[in-house]
């Protein structure tokens, strides 16, 4: 038997109804904040991710699905392509490619699958979905302002509340600008020197190539050592400190609670200044429901103009898991099961179904070869609210037998009144 590949899964009804309703709420909230949707390709050139997410990150170093495309001619070497492990890089690539700075401040959102070769477990998959948003534009359009950071964070608080997610918490940090990071990396390197031989092999490598990434380490034995390392908060320059302070002040003024966490450095290299994560208690080990931050130098590092930006990505799979903790999902039921009765009645039933569906009635169609008993059984299995019988006599009379499955009442209804009757109005 061929099964879904490890780390991928089928989303089945009724769960898909929950995904759809969550996405509808998300789209409404984005609309209120004037965000517009962007859809970028699912695969991009590998270089896009190595230059943005960073060579030394877990994602690029070991989790990407990468392959070499065929060249145009047989002798030609193909391009290295990668299934996107995240969507910010694609959005910034599109920003540069389409000169979106000509629009001023861009507020873009996306919903779609991402791919990482991680060890699968509950809440962690190899194909997973993210709902994300970015605010990006020239500094002259206000993209650098702490007001944007606060707007994004307040949007997220509103979004989680509107979705009915209870008990989330926001962890906030500033990872400073490139200059702060250089000084911090130096200090980290020094602090790591005497202790790194006792750490895991990954940390030993990170200590040399990109010491900040030591904070991504999950090895329990390394944690007490990591606790003693200097923190980025001690290395912020005055503009970064002021920027971070301003973000916090707006959040307090709008009533969004947060906790400061100066260990939070996020697993991607492009972050600058504000970095954040929202966690949710009910999710267990994989408790990060979303993460994000500012990425002021990203556009330039991809060959674009200066374009400060800030964004986030919600793990949609985890969002749905959190929703399932609080709500039971029920499969929506059809309003009516149309039961053609006898030869030639499929045609009539199809016409009726078309008329009713055009009036927003959810209709399921039977088959003229079914005996009436079988039609009723099929209707019950689907939990249809009504059964509509379409036989030769009914068609001739222009009135149809409609049985209400909940009350058991059966009446004859003229064709013109069917939709209203089924909807429950007289
Ligand atoms: P990141 O792009 O790593 O900042 O992740 C943002 C959010 O995406 C995380 O907080 C998770 O909720 C979600 N996420 C990341 N990786 C996975 C995965 N492998 N499976 C499910 N969700 C994920």
């Amino acid at each position: 038997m061929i099964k879904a590949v490890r780390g991928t899964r089928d989303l089945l009804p009724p769960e898909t109804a929950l995904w759809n309703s969550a996405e509808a709420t998300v789209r409404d909230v984005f609309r209120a904040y004037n965000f517009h949707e962007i859809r970028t390709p699912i695969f991009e050139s590998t270089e896009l991710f190595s230059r943005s997410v960073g060579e030394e990150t877990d994602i690029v170093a070991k989790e990407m699905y990468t392959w070499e495309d065929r060249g145009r001619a047989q002798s030609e070497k193909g391009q290295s392509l990668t299934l996107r492990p995240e969507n910010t890089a694609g959005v910034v690539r599109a920003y540069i490619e389409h000169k979106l700075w000509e629009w001023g401040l861009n507020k873009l959102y996306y919903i779609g699958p991402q791919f990482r070769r991680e060890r699968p477990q509950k809440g962690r998959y190899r194909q997973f979905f993210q709902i994300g948003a970015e605010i990006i534009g020239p500094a002259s359009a206000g993209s650098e302002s702490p007001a944007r950071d606060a707007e994004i964070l307040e949007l997220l608080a509103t979004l989680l509340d509107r979705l009915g997610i209870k008990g989330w918490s926001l962890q906030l940090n500033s990872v400073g600008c490139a200059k702060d990071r250089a000084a911090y990396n130096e200090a980290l390197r020094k602090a790591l020197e005497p202790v790194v031989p006792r750490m895991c092999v990954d940390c030993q490598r990170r200590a040399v190539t990109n010491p900040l990434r030591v904070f991504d380490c999950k090895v329990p034995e390394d944690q007490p050592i990591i606790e003693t390392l200097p923190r980025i908060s001690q290395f912020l320059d005055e503009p970064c400190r002021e920027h971070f302070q301003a973000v916090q002040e707006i959040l307090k003024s709008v009533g969004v609670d947060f906790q400061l966490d100066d260990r939070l450095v996020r697993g991607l290299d492009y972050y600058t200044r504000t970095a954040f994560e929202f966690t949710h208690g009910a999710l267990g080990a994989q408790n990060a429901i979303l993460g994000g931050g500012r990425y002021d130098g990203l556009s330039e590092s991809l060959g674009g103009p200066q374009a400060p930006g800030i964004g986030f990505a919600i793990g949609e799979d985890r969002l749905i898991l959190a929703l399932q903790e609080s709500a039971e999902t029920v499969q929506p039921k059809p309003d009516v099961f149309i039961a053609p009765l006898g030869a030639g009645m499929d045609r009539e039933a199809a016409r009726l179904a078309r008329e009713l569906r055009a009036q927003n009635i959810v209709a399921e169609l039977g088959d003229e070869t079914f005996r009436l008993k079988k039609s009723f059984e099929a209707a019950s299995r689907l939990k249809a609210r009504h059964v509509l019988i379409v036989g030769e006599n009914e068609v001739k009379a222009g009135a149809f037998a409609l049985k209400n499955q909940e009350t058991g009442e059966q009446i004859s209804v003229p064709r013109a009144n069917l939709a209203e009757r089924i909807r429950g109005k007289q």
Side-chain angles (χ1 to χ4, degrees), residues 39-351:
R39 300 189 190 196
T40 65
I42 280 176
F43 57 89
E44 300 263 6
S45 72
T46 305
E47 195 192 350
L48 175 67
F49 304 112
S50 48
R51 275 173 55 184
S52 56
V53 176
E55 296 276 8
E56 244 331 288
T57 58
D58 283 354
I59 296 177
V60 175
K62 47 189 186 199
E63 294 171 0
M64 296 207 301
Y65 287 93
T66 296
W67 72 99
E68 193 181 298
D69 203 16
R70 251 181 254 158
R72 262 180 237 163
Q74 253 186 357
S75 54
E76 202 183 329
K77 199 168 149 24
Q79 191 186 3
S80 176
L81 301 177
T82 291
L83 286 180
R84 63 183 188 198
E86 59 96 59
N87 219 153
T88 301
V91 172
V92 176
R93 186 216 20 86
Y95 173 85
I96 299 167
E97 190 169 332
H98 305 287
K99 299 190 170 55
L100 297 188
W101 54 87
E102 286 170 1
W103 304 5
L105 196 65
N106 294 271
K107 295 170 98 176
L108 301 166
Y109 79 89
Y110 58 83
I111 301 177
Q114 318 293 337
F115 306 85
R116 296 182 194 172
R117 192 186 277 109
E118 294 195 82
R119 197 171 52 77
Q121 63 185 88
K122 189 179 176 201
R124 200 207 276 153
Y125 312 99
R126 291 181 166 182
Q127 173 175 321
F128 59 100
F129 288 77
Q130 284 186 335
I131 299 171
E134 319 288 349
I135 303 184
I136 181 168
S140 59
S143 61
E144 219 169 359
S145 165
R148 301 287 72 76
D149 306 47
E151 184 180 17
I152 283 265
L153 290 164
E154 189 274 327
L155 175 155
L156 282 165
T158 300
L159 186 58
L160 295 180
D161 289 345
R162 279 272 296 274
L163 286 165
I165 305 254
K166 302 208 172 63
W168 52 262
S169 77
L170 161 58
Q171 281 83 44
L172 197 59
N173 192 19
S174 173
V175 295
C177 50
K179 195 159 58 63
D180 307 335
R181 287 264 279 277
Y184 180 52
N185 270 330
E186 223 12 74
L188 265 183
R189 254 195 203 105
K190 278 216 186 83
L192 280 165
E193 238 169 50
V195 290
V196 82
R198 286 187 276 134
M199 299 179 83
C200 70
V201 283
D202 280 338
C203 281
Q204 297 189 5
R205 198 194 59 240
R206 291 166 178 146
V208 181
T209 52
N210 191 348
L212 193 73
R213 296 272 69 91
V214 164
F215 286 96
D216 300 338
C217 175
K218 305 268 174 352
V219 175
E221 294 76 30
D222 286 3
Q223 301 310 309
I225 302 176
I226 294 170
E227 270 309 305
T228 66
L229 296 174
R231 302 298 165 89
I232 184 75
S233 53
Q234 303 149 6
F235 290 80
L236 300 185
D237 65 9
E238 207 40 45
C240 286
R241 215 178 282 277
E242 274 168 23
H243 190 277
F244 193 36
Q245 199 58 41
V247 176
Q248 295 176 50
E249 270 155 27
I250 304 175
L251 288 180
K252 282 183 196 148
S253 124
V254 293
V256 172
D257 289 336
F258 60 87
Q259 277 113 43
L260 295 179
D261 174 4
D262 60 4
R263 255 197 76 158
L264 182 78
V265 295
R266 315 268 309 120
L268 299 83
D269 269 358
Y270 52 62
Y271 288 114
T272 53
R273 295 193 163 173
T274 312
F276 56 85
E277 227 163 59
F278 281 66
T279 51
H280 189 264
L283 289 174
Q286 304 302 315
N287 68 350
I289 201 163
L290 70 93
R294 186 163 267 292
Y295 45 81
D296 290 346
L298 181 54
S299 167
E300 287 141 294
S301 73
L302 292 175
Q306 200 195 19
I310 178 161
F312 64 81
I314 306 174
E316 191 175 3
D317 306 74
R318 295 187 195 173
L319 183 78
I320 300 295
L321 277 172
L323 284 177
Q324 283 169 330
E325 296 290 328
S326 50
E328 190 195 343
T329 37
V330 279
Q331 174 125 11
K333 300 170 189 159
D335 297 315
V336 62
F337 183 94
I338 304 175
L341 194 63
M345 286 303 114
D346 273 348
R347 291 197 291 270
E348 300 297 335
R351 274 182 51 202

